[in-house]
Amino acid sequence: MLNKTDHEGLKQTITESVYQYLKEKGIEIDAIPAIILTTPKERVHGHLSTNIALQLSGMVSNNAREIAQFIVKELKKSNEEVFDKIEIAGPGFINFYFKKDLLYTVLHEITAEKNKFGYSDIGKGEKILLEYVSVNPTGPLHVGHGKCAAVGDSLSKILKAAGYRVSTEYYINDHGKQMDVLGQSVLVRYRQLLGEMLEFPENGYQGDYIIALAREVLDKYGIEFKGKDDSETIQFFKSYAQQRILQDIKEDLALFGVEFDNWFSEESLFTQNKVYPVVDRLRQEGFIYLDKGALWFKSTDFGDEKDRVVTRANGEAAYFASDIAYHDDKYKRGFKTLIDIWGSDHHGYISRVKAAIQALGYSRDSFQVLLVQFVTLVRAGKTIGMSTRGGQFVTLKDLLKEVGKDVARYFFLMHSHDSHTEFDLDIAKSQSLENPVFYIQYAYARICSIIKKGETNNIALNDTGKEQIDLKLLDKKEELEILKKLINFKKIVERSAIQRKPYLIAGYLHELASLFHKYYTEHKVITRDKKLSEARLYLISSVKIVLENALSLLGIDAPEKM
RNA sequence: GCGCCUGUAGCUCAAUAGGAUAGAGCAACGGACUUCUAAUCCGUAGGCUGGGGGUUCGACUCCCUCCAGGCGCGCCA
């Protein structure tokens, strides 16, 4: 029996009638396809639709409409009070039309669940480790990292809302050669500031932030390191630079509203001796061989295009080795699913990590990588260059200063993460028209304004007496559209969690805001008619809650006034 | 050369696990403020979904092939 706007009951009934059909026809198949209920684009196709009969007809080679007829007959037996109409359309779609009363119940649900409306438990408490950003602490975050941060942070919120137990983590690559290069770069800048004539190392980090760090050391420690270049001095500059840069990264992320549950140091894998045992284990299981003095992992056994070095001829562990150990460690901490968010330039790295994970005995599919495509900044119609090589890039901090957190987040989240983002600074800064963030926030502010007006006119919703509101007064076309959209929210959250697509929430927000703006123009909420005003207030209060919830899944504020 | 991603309206992007008539915003044109914020709304116009084959009841979506763009192919991290 269908209950409220939850579709699980309906799916169950459909499943049963499918079995009934197969039984009567004496057909046996391995498994019936999952029942999928979609919301049709066209209103004439009902509130909900399923293509199960079409799918089945392919499998059992019977006429789809005939199957649909059987299913509908079964469904009608038990769902009379729920549906106005169940009909078969086109080649064999089954379309459901809710009774209007049922549409209204979503308002009670929203009011009761408030900021938990849209939450579900499809994740069943499964433990997921979500790792993202993980930028090397050798320089500031730039705009592209901002996109990864926005996607990761939002995804973690969405997954939590869908009932997963999510931990977020930033992996600090503080082990390899690059840290020495960093220390050396700052040291040279420091000595140059003191007037020494020194060549800047060819592979050094050239950005202005390196000079700024050198100046900082000079301010704090004076000429203490003048002319010195011993291992102790390098060590100092290395750790100083690393700590400061990491601190800046944390600050930038905090400005962006992003916080991690855990900061995981690569170095700790070595100090806790976790790297070599994993390599040994793979070796014992025959996945490692020796060639030209180096140890190679046989990733080709698992579909990678070539084998990969884990231990170099000089005995040092390659980056890949610590990464294997790191991912092994994630599983050992009890996570069932690992999601890594990487810049798309790392895509060549996926198959070797998957290979290692498989070799270690974990399921290949339990490790998922989301590749985030590049961001292009556009100003006045022209692309802004972002080469890191010359140290010329727009930092996340600069972007936040220019357009603010909410706009930056929305722009990163409004499109699919695996399509290139074109970030138009002129649109982002514009306070009107084309800026979708303001469009959405404006809808929210308008609702707040109406509610306030209602209060001054002595029309307000109090917690008691909501049952007395005459919901049947909400019979306008625009109102029914909004109700259907509200009902959809839970499904959108689930889908965006399962498919790891935060941008679905962004799209939903825009649609809901649009429906509201339309409604606002067509109908007045606060009128002389008190009953009607109350009913409409109840509706827009629900819209307000859902806007709030959706915005919070994206990490965007909902301003009461604009 | 091999591999991954992308190609949809003039521009930026959608299209819910292969579903019904491919939709939004911007830009263009024409309308709507004595009204709860016009940062809004309504209308018009705009398409051989990069090209060509295939799979099936049905393809923007899957397969093959070609074209264009991005990225990657270290005993770097």
Side-chain angles (χ1 to χ4, degrees), chain A residues 304-358:
Chain A
D304 195 7
E305 56 187 23
K306 52 180 94 165
D307 291 340
R308 310 291 176 174
V309 168
V310 284
T311 308
R312 293 189 284 240
N314 65 8
E316 277 175 31
Y319 174 79
F320 182 39
S322 45
D323 223 16
I324 298 174
Y326 176 44
H327 284 87
D328 183 50
D329 187 71
K330 290 180 181 179
Y331 285 109
K332 286 194 172 134
R333 281 184 274 155
F335 295 102
K336 292 277 176 278
T337 302
L338 312 183
I339 301 177
D340 285 16
I341 298 179
W342 296 349
S344 62
D345 52 335
H346 289 80
H347 67 76
Y349 198 71
I350 297 176
S351 48
R352 84 189 65 168
V353 178
K354 278 205 180 262
I357 277 166
Q358 219 176 337

Side-chain angles (χ1 to χ4, degrees), chain A residues 447-457 560-561:
Chain A
I447 294 175
C448 293
S449 167
I450 296 171
I451 290 174
K452 201 175 255 172
K453 172 161 180 181
E455 281 165 4
T456 57
N457 288 20
E560 302 207 345
K561 245 193 230 166

Side-chain angles (χ1 to χ4, degrees), chain A residues 187-200:
Chain A
L187 175 57
V188 171
R189 288 301 188 207
Y190 168 86
R191 293 176 60 188
Q192 284 176 343
L193 284 176
L194 288 172
E196 295 184 39
M197 301 298 284
L198 286 173
E199 283 282 312
F200 193 71

Side-chain angles (χ1 to χ4, degrees), chain A residues 30-289:
Chain A
D30 295 341
I32 69 163
I35 310 292
I36 296 165
L37 292 171
T38 56
T39 312
K41 280 178 247 167
E42 298 295 322
R43 213 179 330 151
V44 294
H45 295 137
H47 298 131
L48 277 181
S49 179
T50 179
N51 63 353
I52 183 66
L54 287 156
Q55 289 193 301
L56 223 52
S57 101
M59 297 170 76
V60 304
S61 53
N62 277 358
N63 182 281
R65 285 191 71 104
E66 207 174 281
I67 300 173
Q69 259 161 27
F70 183 94
I71 294 173
V72 169
K73 210 175 80 193
E74 289 294 308
L75 289 176
K76 279 187 175 162
K77 286 180 193 165
S78 58
N79 285 290
E80 287 220 4
E81 61 274 40
V82 178
F83 296 110
D84 220 18
K85 196 163 62 165
I86 304 176
E87 66 175 23
I88 299 161
F93 292 102
I94 302 176
N95 296 336
F96 301 89
Y97 296 76
F98 286 125
K99 292 214 153 138
K100 225 182 258 173
D101 295 359
L102 205 82
L103 292 181
Y104 297 136
T105 61
V106 72
L107 299 179
H108 298 314
E109 280 178 59
I110 293 171
T111 311
E113 296 174 22
K114 294 214 169 58
N115 62 358
K116 291 280 177 276
F117 179 77
Y119 283 47
S120 68
D121 60 352
I122 52 160
K124 300 194 175 71
E126 184 184 310
K127 281 187 77 181
I128 295 182
L129 186 73
L130 179 60
E131 182 212 326
Y132 61 103
V133 186
S134 297
V135 175
N136 296 350
T138 54
L141 297 175
H142 59 69
V143 172
H145 303 134
K147 186 175 172 187
C148 290
V151 170
D153 184 60
S154 179
L155 185 61
S156 79
K157 292 181 159 95
I158 291 164
L159 289 170
K160 280 175 193 163
Y164 295 90
R165 275 155 65 203
V166 185
S167 274
T168 58
E169 196 157 286
Y170 187 118
Y171 183 54
I172 309 164
N173 299 126
D174 52 2
H175 178 71
K177 219 184 283 177
Q178 45 166 3
M179 300 318 299
D180 298 322
V181 175
L182 175 68
Q184 190 66 41
S185 302
V186 179
L187 175 57
V188 171
R189 288 301 188 207
Y190 168 86
R191 293 176 60 188
Q192 284 176 343
L193 284 176
L194 288 172
E196 295 184 39
M197 301 298 284
L198 286 173
E199 283 282 312
F200 193 71
E202 203 174 310
N203 61 348
Y205 293 97
Q206 299 200 15
D208 290 343
Y209 62 94
I210 297 291
I211 300 174
L213 280 175
R215 189 160 289 131
E216 217 180 271
V217 175
L218 186 60
D219 288 347
K220 278 192 195 164
Y221 298 90
I223 56 166
E224 193 176 320
F225 305 104
K226 185 170 181 176
K228 270 201 209 163
D229 191 356
D230 53 29
S231 63
E232 214 171 291
T233 313
I234 286 285
Q235 194 55 43
F236 170 81
F237 275 84
K238 180 173 144 182
S239 81
Y240 184 87
Q242 182 198 316
Q243 276 173 26
R244 283 288 291 108
I245 290 174
L246 204 58
Q247 187 187 328
D248 283 346
I249 288 175
K250 284 187 190 183
E251 281 171 16
D252 290 354
L253 287 170
L255 277 178
F256 200 39
V258 175
E259 280 179 13
F260 285 90
D261 295 326
N262 193 24
W263 293 73
F264 193 103
S265 149
E266 181 187 5
E267 187 67 31
S268 76
L269 289 168
F270 290 92
T271 53
Q272 293 173 27
N273 192 29
K274 284 179 175 166
V275 178
Y276 294 100
V278 173
V279 174
D280 274 350
R281 189 173 132 205
L282 287 173
R283 192 176 195 172
Q284 274 160 27
E285 293 177 20
F287 298 120
I288 302 264
Y289 63 90

